[in-house]
Amino acid sequence: MDAGRQRTEKIDRLATEPFDLVVVGGGITGAGVALDAASRGLNVALIERNDFASGTSSKSTKLIHGGLRYLKNLEIGLVREVGQERAVVHTLAPHLVRPEKMLLPLVEGGSLGKLTTSMALWVYDFLADVEGDDKRVMLTKEETLDTEPLLRRDILTGGGFYAEYRTDDARLTIENVKTAELNGALAVNYVEATGFAYDEQHHISAVKCVDRHTDRAFEISCEHVISSAGPWVDDLRKIDKSMNNKRLFLSKGVHIVVARERLPLAHACYFDVADGRMLFAIPRLRCTYIGTTDTPYTGDPNAIPVYQEDVEYLLDATNAIFPSVNLVVEDVESSWAGVRPLIFEEGKSAGEMSRKDEIFESESGLLSIAGGKLTGYRKMAERVVDRLGKQLSEDGDSLGKTTTRKIGLTGGPFADFDEVLRYEKEIATQLKAASLTPDRAGYLVANYGKQSPTIIAMAKLRDEGSDVSRLACAEAAWCIEHELALYPLDWVERRSGRLYFDMPSIAPVLDEVIDVFAAAYGYSDAERQREHRRVIEAIEWVSTFEAQPEASPSV
């Protein structure tokens, strides 16, 4: 069956089948909700107005971490929960959620001294139940420089070395969506919720939708709705006429990417900035990425710009702690900007507002969840589905407890990270045997885990093109068939991560990858040109930076 027909059949099911639950929003929280609810036996539909993970869930710092800085705000419960969740999510997908030792250099005049850092990291480990070699180690100045020679020597006083986890947020979201489907959910991207229908008691009875791919309008009949729409949660609450004094506050976070050779860090670093903030610099395959900012944002969440001022702020801060690298704007290969949908707190700055999640329940039955951190997505999903269980109990139904702690994600299973590393060697051998590039093994396993051999087998069947393009085209075809990739940009940005972390690899394969999508979806010549233009525009969007326009004077 061709990909277009598969999608049409999914839309037909949405339009004709009754569902227990519709989840609106296909970011990490919505994907987690769909998996949690489906695994508890509910008939679940998940819809997303753009591509899965196209909002905040592809634009985080890409860490599964406990939020060390939240200890400063005494958010002990939050630090404990997400600290413990790090290990849980790592166990569910160790190929995606990878151990990452973090170096915290201590500097003269910094926000943390040796004693406070030692105590904070000890509390951090205690709250997260960290054991063995992952426990924090305090380093002298000399030991810190041995660990990371690029650090600025004259102001360095020592360091702390502790454990975190690095991930690809978009891949984590997509694997949750696929796992939800394995548990019975029906997930479709590019389907926008435009409104609600209500019964005589003014309870939501259907979600009004538009398929943005075909402009087809339809309704999804349902008993319950959970909105996990991130920055758009308040938009749906307004449609439902259930806004109250609780509202979202959007905080913009910018990251930039440079080639690893320009910032060749030995370990991820979490370092002080002159204005009192702290930034991350994180090595990832051929790149190192730096972030993040934390400023109020009132613009369009669909197109969040990275301004030259944002880039210069991050570069200046990085050069101040790693003075020998002398990074300049021309070194920045790519960037991304996302918004954190925080719960507004009067009198607090963006950096001071809590990252705790909150659930809003309207008289219509609409449940909305916002706030929270990437790390805590599974617990957020559990909480909101538990709240749904209370609605079900009022109707005389019951809902069992969550089991997602034990549901491994697609791409596995792996017993532990050591098995992941051994598997990468196996994949390198398979690539070499197929006359493909062995150095793509780490990339393939990090993205697709044990789904990699299928992609390699598909590449072997392709008899045209270079080894690089054959593998890329097989990867794209696999994502169309198994991951609902609808447009080439879906693959370039979110399935493969190339837009951010492997920009030079796009141009040599782009035309052939577009051919794969054209064959799958029957593109006309004009549509082929349109999709090529969209990818080129996306490359320009993430790699060129204009000055921030001056704010209009208030009247």
Side-chain angles (χ1 to χ4, degrees):
M1 184 184 295
D2 67 78
R5 188 181 304 173
Q6 284 181 324
R7 177 181 170 78
T8 299
E9 289 194 355
K10 282 195 167 193
I11 299 293
D12 288 342
R13 287 185 59 194
L14 289 177
T16 58
E17 293 182 15
F19 290 87
D20 298 321
L21 171 67
V22 173
V23 182
V24 180
I28 187 61
T29 306
V33 170
L35 172 55
D36 190 294
S39 64
R40 298 198 209 191
L42 295 180
N43 186 20
V44 178
L46 169 66
I47 59 173
E48 161 59 45
R49 71 184 301 272
N50 291 308
D51 188 22
F52 299 118
S54 56
T56 303
S57 295
S58 59
K59 299 177 179 68
S60 72
T61 306
K62 305 180 190 297
L63 290 174
I64 298 294
H65 69 126
L68 177 62
R69 71 186 183 87
Y70 305 134
L71 281 177
K72 287 184 180 181
N73 298 340
L74 299 179
E75 295 187 81
I76 303 299
L78 175 63
V79 174
R80 180 175 182 81
E81 177 176 293
V82 295
Q84 293 176 343
E85 275 296 291
R86 295 180 307 173
V88 175
V89 182
H90 169 66
T91 301
L92 298 178
H95 65 293
L96 264 178
V97 181
R98 298 179 164 230
E100 182 76 59
K101 284 289 190 179
M102 190 75 67
L103 177 64
L104 197 165
L106 303 177
V107 298
E108 295 174 359
S111 59
L112 294 170
K114 288 185 179 180
L115 181 59
T116 54
T117 299
S118 180
M119 287 298 298
L121 290 177
W122 181 88
V123 171
Y124 195 56
D125 284 353
F126 174 77
L127 292 174
D129 295 330
V130 175
E131 298 178 347
D133 293 340
D134 282 344
K135 286 187 175 180
R136 69 96 170 89
V137 177
M138 297 305 298
L139 306 175
T140 65
K141 175 177 179 176
E142 290 72 24
E143 289 170 333
T144 305
L145 285 168
D146 286 343
T147 304
E148 185 45 73
L150 291 176
L151 284 165
R152 180 176 171 182
R153 178 181 292 270
D154 61 332
I155 61 171
L156 189 69
T157 62
F161 204 41
Y162 63 105
E164 294 285 21
Y165 295 89
R166 173 173 56 80
T167 192
D168 183 314
D169 45 8
R171 291 295 323 167
L172 185 63
T173 301
I174 289 162
E175 300 298 2
N176 268 274
V177 171
K178 289 157 60 181
T179 308
E181 288 216 306
L182 285 178
N183 281 268
L186 176 62
V188 189
N189 49 358
Y190 294 100
V191 172
E192 181 175 5
T194 58
F196 303 107
Y198 301 86
D199 61 20
E200 293 178 354
Q201 286 74 43
H202 198 69
H203 187 280
I204 293 176
S205 59
V207 179
K208 298 178 180 180
C209 300
V210 172
D211 176 6
R212 300 183 69 199
H213 183 59
T214 63
D215 291 329
R216 174 183 174 184
F218 60 96
E219 292 187 359
I220 308 174
S221 176
C222 61
E223 296 292 327
H224 301 275
V225 177
I226 292 177
S227 168
S228 56
W232 298 274
V233 156
D234 281 354
D235 292 347
L236 287 177
R237 294 170 71 207
K238 289 173 183 176
I239 290 172
D240 184 52
K241 296 182 172 58
S242 55
M243 279 294 293
N244 52 25
N245 60 334
K246 289 282 189 178
R247 62 181 175 86
L248 296 187
F249 175 92
L250 303 185
S251 171
K252 174 181 168 180
V254 172
H255 297 77
I256 57 174
V257 181
V258 299
R260 185 84 172 264
E261 61 190 25
R262 289 296 291 119
L263 186 56
L265 298 181
H267 295 280
C269 291
Y270 184 38
F271 57 93
D272 277 287
V273 182
D275 64 4
R277 282 188 49 73
M278 296 190 75
L279 299 181
F280 291 101
I282 303 171
R284 179 192 176 101
L285 296 176
R286 60 168 297 280
C287 293
T288 302
Y289 65 98
I290 305 160
T292 177
T293 61
D294 198 351
T295 55
Y297 184 74
T298 57
D300 181 3
N302 291 297
I304 307 163
V306 175
Y307 293 119
Q308 186 163 335
E309 289 86 345
D310 298 320
V311 174
E312 290 174 348
Y313 170 82
L314 294 173
L315 292 176
D316 289 347
T318 304
N319 288 331
I321 194 70
F322 306 112
S324 64
V325 298
N326 295 314
L327 293 172
V328 294
V329 173
E330 288 72 22
D331 289 317
V332 178
E333 290 187 354
S334 186
S335 68
W336 67 87
V339 288
R340 310 169 187 90
L342 309 177
I343 311 302
F344 178 74
E345 296 176 85
E346 191 70 51
K348 289 190 176 183
S349 69
E352 293 171 332
M353 289 189 193
S354 174
R355 267 53 177 174
K356 288 179 67 176
D357 56 278
E358 192 163 340
I359 298 170
F360 311 127
E361 184 170 7
S362 78
E363 293 182 1
S364 68
L366 174 66
L367 289 172
S368 304
I369 184 164
K373 291 169 55 65
L374 172 66
T375 308
Y377 81 88
R378 194 190 66 84
K379 293 296 291 184
M380 289 173 63
E382 177 183 339
R383 276 192 286 274
V384 74
V385 177
D386 282 348
R387 179 72 71 90
L388 174 63
K390 293 182 180 180
Q391 291 186 357
L392 290 168
S393 65
E394 292 172 0
D395 297 333
D397 297 321
S398 61
L399 190 63
K401 293 184 177 180
T402 186
T403 59
T404 55
R405 189 185 185 95
K406 299 179 180 179
I407 300 176
L409 300 182
T410 47
F414 290 96
D416 51 34
F417 189 60
D418 286 339
E419 184 185 348
V420 174
L421 296 178
R422 291 193 296 271
Y423 192 72
E424 287 183 1
K425 294 179 181 179
E426 292 180 29
I427 293 302
T429 300
Q430 291 184 32
L431 285 166
K432 187 174 182 180
S435 299
L436 299 168
T437 312
D439 64 6
R440 299 301 284 178
Y443 159 82
L444 281 177
V445 175
N447 272 20
Y448 305 104
K450 291 186 177 179
Q451 300 160 129
S452 302
T454 305
I455 296 172
I456 294 171
M458 294 171 69
K460 286 173 66 176
L461 295 175
R462 301 187 69 87
D463 54 9
E464 294 182 358
S466 66
D467 58 343
V468 172
S469 67
R470 286 191 296 126
L471 187 58
C473 289
E475 188 186 344
W478 191 87
C479 291
I480 290 169
E481 183 175 351
H482 298 280
E483 298 191 346
L484 297 111
L486 187 56
Y487 302 108
L489 190 55
D490 297 341
W491 178 76
V492 168
E493 182 174 358
R494 288 166 290 277
R495 303 303 184 285
S496 71
R498 292 171 187 244
L499 184 66
Y500 302 133
F501 299 114
D502 200 3
M503 185 78 81
S505 75
I506 297 174
V509 303
L510 181 56
D511 287 338
E512 289 162 287
V513 165
I514 289 176
D515 287 343
V516 172
F517 278 85
Y521 292 109
Y523 287 174
S524 65
D525 288 343
E527 289 170 328
R528 189 190 300 262
Q529 293 170 11
R530 178 197 66 195
E531 294 309 315
H532 188 279
R533 186 168 58 252
R534 288 183 66 206
V535 173
I536 298 304
E537 289 172 350
I539 290 172
E540 292 174 352
W541 176 258
V542 301
S543 61
T544 57
F545 315 107
E546 297 180 356
Q548 183 169 353
E550 294 185 11
S552 300
S554 56
V555 178

